[in-house]
C-alpha cells in the first residue's frame, strides 16, 4: 500500500500472508505479518536527491544483494542521498528479519551502502555494517564488502560480491575474519509482461562459517558454511506469469567437505 502524507512524505505498507517454505518443512509461525510500514520523506534535511526513511523497511546492500536483501522486517532509520554516486547510512534492528542456518541472528547495527555507476552498463558498490557490541548474541558481525554488476553485452550480464566479517566472536576460531564470495553469469531474464521471454544463470559461491547472514540473502540457498554451484532458469509462459527452476549441485560444507547438499526448486509466479 502506498499513500501520500504530503507533497514530500509518503507511507509504504505491506503484509505478507505466508512466508516462504521449503517442501517438507514444518512451516513457520510467520503466517501473517507486517513486513513493511515506513514513512519516507524526499529532499530531506534540505538536500537534493535525498530521502529519510523511518519505520519498518526492506534493506539491500551491494549490487547483487547476496549478503543481505530483506523482504521488509528491518526496523530503524536510514538516509539515502546522491544520484550517480548513491549512499545509504542507517541504524536498524535486523532481529525480526531472520536468522542463519546455525541460529545466529543479526541484531541492532549501523550500516553504510555505497553504489557508483561507472557507465550505463556497470555499477560498483561497497558496504560496511557493524553490529552493536552491546547485543546479546555471542556471534557479532563487523562486515565490509565490495561488489559489481555489469551488462557487458545486450544479452549477457555478470555479478560479483566479496565480503569479510572482521569480528572474532564466531563459532569456528579457525575462520576468524571469515570471508565469502559469489560470481554470477546470466543471460537475459523472464519478463512477466513479455510472454515467451526467458533467461538463465549460473552461480559459484564460497562462504566460510560466520561470513554471511544466510537468511537475509537473495540467494536460493543458505549462504553460510558452504561452497558450490547452482543454475537457474526462468520463463514467462503467459502475460503476468513466470516459471522458475533452480538446481544446486556439488555443494559442500566448508568445514566438512564430506557433507554434500543438493536442492531443486520449481516455482510459478502470478503478478496482479
Amino acid at each position: 500500500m502506498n499513500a501520500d502524507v504530503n507533497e514530500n512524505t509518503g507511507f509504504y505498507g505491506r503484509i505478507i500472508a505466508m512466508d516462504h517454505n521449503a517442501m517438507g518443512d514444518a512451516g513457520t509461525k510467520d503466517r501473517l505479518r507486517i513486513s513493511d510500514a515506513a514513512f519516507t520523506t524526499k529532499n530531506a534535511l534540505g538536500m537534493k536527491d535525498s530521502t529519510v526513511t523511518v519505520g519498518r523497511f526492506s534493506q539491500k546492500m551491494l549490487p547483487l544483494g547476496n549478503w543481505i536483501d530483506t523482504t521488509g522486517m528491518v526496523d530503524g532509520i536510514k538516509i539515502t542521498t546522491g544520484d550517480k554516486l548513491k549512499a545509504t547510512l542507517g541504524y536498524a534492528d535486523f532481529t525480526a528479519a531472520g536468522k542463519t542456518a546455525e541460529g545466529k541472528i543479526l541484531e541492532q547495527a549501523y550500516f553504510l551502502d555505497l553504489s557508483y555507476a561507472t557507465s550505463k552498463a556497470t555499477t560498483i558498490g561497497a558496504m560496511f555494517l557493524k553490529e552493536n557490541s552491546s547485543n546479546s548474541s555471542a556471534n557479532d558481525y563487523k562486515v565490509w564488502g565490495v561488489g559489481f554488476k555489469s551488462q557487458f553485452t545486450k544479452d549477457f550480464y555478470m555479478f560479483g560480491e566479496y565480503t569479510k566479517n572482521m569480528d572474532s566472536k564466531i563459532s569456528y576460531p579457525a575462520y576468524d575474519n571469515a570471508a565469502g564470495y559469489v560470481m554470477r553469469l546470466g543471460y537475459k531474464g523472464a519478463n512477466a509482461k513479455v510472454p515467451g521471454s526467458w533467461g538463465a544463470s549460473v552461480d559459484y559461491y564460497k562462504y566460510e562459517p560466520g561470513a554471511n547472514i544466510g537468511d537475509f540473502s537473495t540467494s536460493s540457498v543458505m549462504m553460510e558454511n558452504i561452497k558450490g554451484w547452482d543454475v537457474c532458469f526462468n520463463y514467462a509462459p503467459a502475460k503476468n506469469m513466470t516459471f522458475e527452476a533452480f538446481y544446486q549441485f556439488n555443494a559442500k560444507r566448508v568445514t566438512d567437505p564430506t557433507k554434500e547438499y543438493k536442492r531443486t526448486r520449481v516455482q510459478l509466479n502470478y503478478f496482479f
Side-chain angles (χ1 to χ4, degrees), residues 55-265:
R56 172 165 286 190
F57 49 80
S58 300
Q59 185 58 48
K60 177 182 178 180
M61 297 182 192
L62 297 179
L64 182 58
N66 218 68
W67 195 82
I68 186 168
D69 187 1
T70 74
T71 304
M73 308 306 291
V74 177
D75 302 310
I77 180 172
K78 62 180 177 179
I79 301 172
T80 299
T81 186
D83 183 16
K84 191 173 182 179
L85 172 61
K86 183 172 290 187
T88 298
L89 176 67
Y91 181 80
D93 186 351
F94 293 81
T95 307
K99 60 184 178 181
T100 71
E102 298 180 357
K104 306 179 186 71
I105 60 174
L106 176 62
E107 299 174 284
Q108 296 86 18
Y110 304 91
F111 61 92
L112 172 67
D113 184 66
L114 301 171
S115 65
Y116 178 70
T118 61
S119 68
K120 291 183 178 180
T122 303
T123 298
I124 59 176
M127 63 149 291
F128 179 76
L129 179 145
K130 184 181 186 305
E131 194 171 9
N132 191 328
S133 59
S134 64
N135 291 330
S136 59
S137 173
N139 299 280
D140 288 340
Y141 291 86
K142 182 181 179 183
V143 177
W144 65 266
V146 292
F148 76 93
K149 65 177 180 180
S150 181
Q151 188 78 37
F152 60 92
T153 72
K154 179 182 177 181
D155 297 328
F156 286 91
Y157 62 90
M158 179 178 288
F159 283 91
E161 285 186 4
Y162 176 88
T163 54
K164 176 171 282 192
N165 182 9
M166 297 178 289
D167 197 292
S168 61
K169 294 191 294 183
I170 59 175
S171 298
Y172 297 90
Y175 292 95
D176 192 10
N177 293 311
Y181 63 87
V182 59
M183 294 292 295
R184 174 179 296 173
L185 178 64
Y187 175 79
K188 291 188 174 181
N191 185 336
K193 297 180 180 179
V194 184
S197 60
W198 64 280
S201 64
V202 58
D203 291 7
Y204 177 75
Y205 44 84
K206 179 181 178 181
Y207 282 94
E208 295 172 343
N212 200 6
I213 312 291
D215 217 25
F216 294 171
S217 171
T218 56
S219 174
S220 296
V221 298
M222 188 67 73
M223 287 295 187
E224 184 185 47
N225 191 10
I226 195 170
K227 61 179 179 179
W229 297 81
D230 65 53
V231 291
C232 300
F233 173 79
N234 50 78
Y235 173 70
K239 190 173 182 179
N240 299 325
M241 293 182 65
T242 60
F243 169 80
E244 299 177 5
F246 164 87
Y247 178 65
Q248 177 190 38
F249 62 98
N250 196 29
K252 301 176 181 179
R253 275 188 174 270
V254 174
T255 54
D256 186 359
T258 63
K259 292 185 178 180
E260 186 170 353
Y261 297 88
K262 290 183 179 180
R263 185 179 181 186
T264 303
R265 188 189 73 193

